[in-house]
Amino acid sequence: MDHESLIQESIKALEVQFQYYEKISQLNTEKVLKAFKKNNIALRHFNPSNGYGYDDTARDTLERLFSDIMGTEAAILRPQIASGTHALSLCLFGILKHGDNYISASGLPYDTLQTVMGINKEVEGSIKDLGVEYRQVDLIDNASLDIDKVCASIDEKTKLIMVQRSRGYASRRALLPSEIGKLAEAVKKIKPDVVFMVDNCYGEFVLEEEPSNYKCVDIVAGSLIKNPGGGIAPTGGYICGKEKYINRIATRLTSPGLGLELGSYEASYRPFYQGLFFAPHVVCQALKVATLMAEVFTRLGFRAIPGSKDMRSDIVQILELQDEAALVAFCRAVQASSPIDAFVVPEPWDMPGYDNQVIMAAGSFVAGSSIELSADAPIREPFHVYVQGGLTFEHGVYAIKNILKNLNI
Ligand SMILES: *Cc1c(COP(=O)(O)O)cnc(C)c1O
């Protein structure tokens, strides 16, 4: 079958999935617009600020808007948060104190967080360096939360439980907000004052509900150059949740006594507002691209995780490409299909912190943004490429055509 027909047949076979994503996008768009209305968002909220940023209405309103969207008491959403890792790091350093212990309930956390925590190597200034003990409970069969084991790991010194919703760069499925909420409820029965934290990166707006909609979930964090930035936010991260924890974490972002009262932005918060407006739709586009990749590659005899008909809770798609040449050809085609840096030819390289060479494709308007179509692959068996993003479905289809051509399929 020629590529065009393969793609068109695949799209036809995904009618149910696409309609489902569109329904979620409709619901989430309405949720976002109602929050805009409730907060009386107006053009004056795009006025820049400078200096200390005292009484910056644009900043404060943006944070209230986001916390309404996420169903929380409070939120920090700022360009001064440099990345998702920084947001998660602020949560850990804001909550944990010397002598505490904390538990990761979803196995080994995302790579960059391991360094923050000081669990993969000795790192000066890490959480471990602070004198905080780390405990880990792996997923059952690399798939579901082990509620009994997490509960059994809690003692009087346990201050925080963390869960990662997305697969990140692990070959497991993404966890549903309902599963996370159920664990949160179970641990609060054992220890009501434990802080339950969720790494929500890549998960925002994929479903109608968020982990923050569960009352036992205390803090949720993520990146603005992923889902909630809608491809428009130029930088930043967010943390939302219960006010008392947000205030404590705010003392880490700025300093004790200053909290969220300071922080200016002369470039205007408009792209953050506009990004939130676009986010549900853009996430829907990214989900369609990921699901189409899964369908096309499954039809060609490759393994796709998740499968094209599987329930999703993040935007990441894994394709098992079977050899190094295919990984390289795939990533080069994604790069060559990008709006930016399409002339660049990616090469596998020794990325600091990785045991294997890694190849990456990212031709994005916002540097490193992975809500824009991007692909990365560690050069090792079973030759998994991680693909995510896509601001428009059309871009994804164009990339798939180029990938098929480049793979000589
Ligand atoms: C992207 C991501 C992070 C944070 O990464 P940054 O590159 O620092 O924004 C953390 N956890 C997961 C699961 C992620 O996908």
Side-chain angles (χ1 to χ4, degrees):
M1 196 188 287
D2 66 276
H3 296 163
E4 187 61 38
S5 320
L6 170 63
I7 291 169
Q8 290 313 321
E9 297 269 310
S10 299
I11 291 173
K12 234 178 269 161
L14 294 172
E15 202 183 328
V16 172
Q17 283 68 32
F18 285 11
Q19 273 176 9
Y20 178 72
Y21 301 148
E22 281 156 14
K23 189 186 95 183
I24 303 281
S25 171
Q26 184 67 36
L27 290 167
N28 282 331
T29 298
E30 289 177 16
K31 176 163 79 178
V32 167
L33 283 170
K34 280 175 188 157
F36 267 72
K37 180 153 194 246
K38 182 182 165 209
N39 287 280
N40 295 319
I41 306 306
L43 288 177
R44 68 189 172 86
H45 293 117
F46 305 157
N47 290 343
S49 66
N50 58 24
Y52 291 128
Y54 285 125
D55 300 317
D56 184 339
T57 325
R59 177 200 65 206
D60 296 344
T61 307
L62 177 64
E63 290 180 334
R64 258 197 314 279
L65 170 71
F66 188 66
S67 88
D68 283 343
I69 292 168
M70 299 298 274
T72 55
E73 293 172 9
I76 311 174
L77 183 150
R78 298 195 174 196
Q80 288 85 8
I81 298 180
S83 65
T85 305
H86 186 199
L88 293 156
S89 174
L90 285 167
C91 294
L92 295 176
F93 281 100
I95 303 295
L96 295 167
K97 294 201 175 83
H98 181 87
D100 292 337
N101 69 57
Y102 69 126
I103 304 167
S104 167
S106 47
L108 201 58
Y110 192 76
D111 300 66
T112 53
L113 262 196
Q114 294 173 27
T115 310
V116 171
M117 296 156 72
I119 57 174
N120 54 353
K121 54 182 172 227
E122 288 298 322
V123 185
E124 216 175 320
S126 70
I127 294 289
K128 185 176 173 211
D129 208 25
L130 206 62
V132 174
E133 186 203 328
Y134 173 62
R135 296 176 182 179
Q136 182 174 311
V137 176
D138 291 331
L139 297 174
I140 302 169
D141 297 329
N142 201 24
S144 11
L145 291 162
D146 193 339
I147 296 184
D148 292 340
K149 203 156 170 208
V150 174
C151 288
S153 308
I154 296 172
D155 62 25
E156 70 284 356
K157 289 188 172 164
T158 305
K159 177 68 75 64
L160 179 142
I161 314 262
M162 58 195 278
V163 173
Q164 179 182 310
R165 173 178 177 178
S166 169
R167 72 200 69 238
Y169 293 112
S171 52
R172 65 155 167 99
R173 71 182 182 89
L175 299 167
L176 300 170
S178 56
E179 296 174 284
I180 296 170
K182 196 170 150 210
L183 173 70
E185 201 175 317
V187 303
K188 292 279 179 167
K189 278 200 187 115
I190 311 248
K191 197 166 191 291
D193 64 345
V194 82
V195 180
F196 197 95
M197 162 185 161
V198 180
D199 173 353
N200 204 24
C201 284
Y202 284 140
E204 301 88 353
F205 302 118
V206 169
L207 294 165
E208 192 187 347
E209 54 176 17
E210 298 291 340
S212 47
N213 295 128
Y214 288 83
K215 69 175 191 309
C216 293
V217 171
D218 298 306
I219 41 176
V220 172
S223 162
L224 295 183
I225 62 168
K226 293 181 181 174
N227 306 15
I232 296 181
T235 185
Y238 76 84
I239 303 159
C240 60
K242 307 241 162 83
E243 194 160 14
K244 64 174 170 178
Y245 300 123
I246 294 299
N247 287 338
R248 214 147 94 193
I249 292 162
T251 67
R252 282 285 162 175
L253 175 67
T254 57
S255 81
L258 302 182
L260 297 180
E261 313 268 327
L262 260 69
S264 66
Y265 194 59
E266 195 157 26
S268 165
Y269 286 101
R270 186 193 51 77
F272 298 89
Y273 284 100
Q274 197 170 356
L276 275 173
F277 168 77
F278 268 104
H281 177 74
V282 168
V283 167
C284 173
Q285 301 296 294
L287 285 167
K288 283 182 170 184
V289 173
T291 307
L292 182 59
M293 293 236 184
E295 178 70 23
V296 166
F297 277 82
T298 304
R299 284 172 182 242
L300 292 169
F302 295 93
R303 184 162 171 240
I305 312 165
S308 61
K309 311 273 161 90
D310 290 347
M311 177 81 171
R312 284 167 197 257
S313 186
D314 70 6
I315 61 164
V316 182
Q317 179 65 51
I318 303 173
L319 300 171
E320 195 167 301
L321 293 183
Q322 298 165 357
D323 62 54
E324 174 172 348
L327 285 186
V328 173
F330 187 103
C331 290
R332 286 183 176 166
V334 170
Q335 186 74 38
S337 313
S338 302
I340 311 302
D341 289 343
F343 55 88
V344 169
V345 180
E347 294 280 351
W349 62 300
D350 295 302
M351 205 176 144
Y354 289 83
D355 298 334
N356 308 88
Q357 286 201 314
V358 178
I359 184 162
M360 292 187 170
S364 50
F365 291 94
V366 170
S369 166
S370 47
I371 186 63
E372 299 185 47
L373 187 62
S374 48
D376 342 19
I379 309 288
R380 62 163 183 244
E381 282 184 52
F383 301 105
H384 281 169
V385 64
Y386 293 79
V387 206
Q388 62 275 314
L391 298 184
T392 70
F393 181 62
E394 294 85 343
H395 178 198
V397 170
Y398 174 65
I400 292 171
K401 287 184 194 170
N402 287 333
I403 292 163
L404 296 178
K405 224 183 289 169
N406 224 27
L407 283 170
N408 271 324
I409 289 171

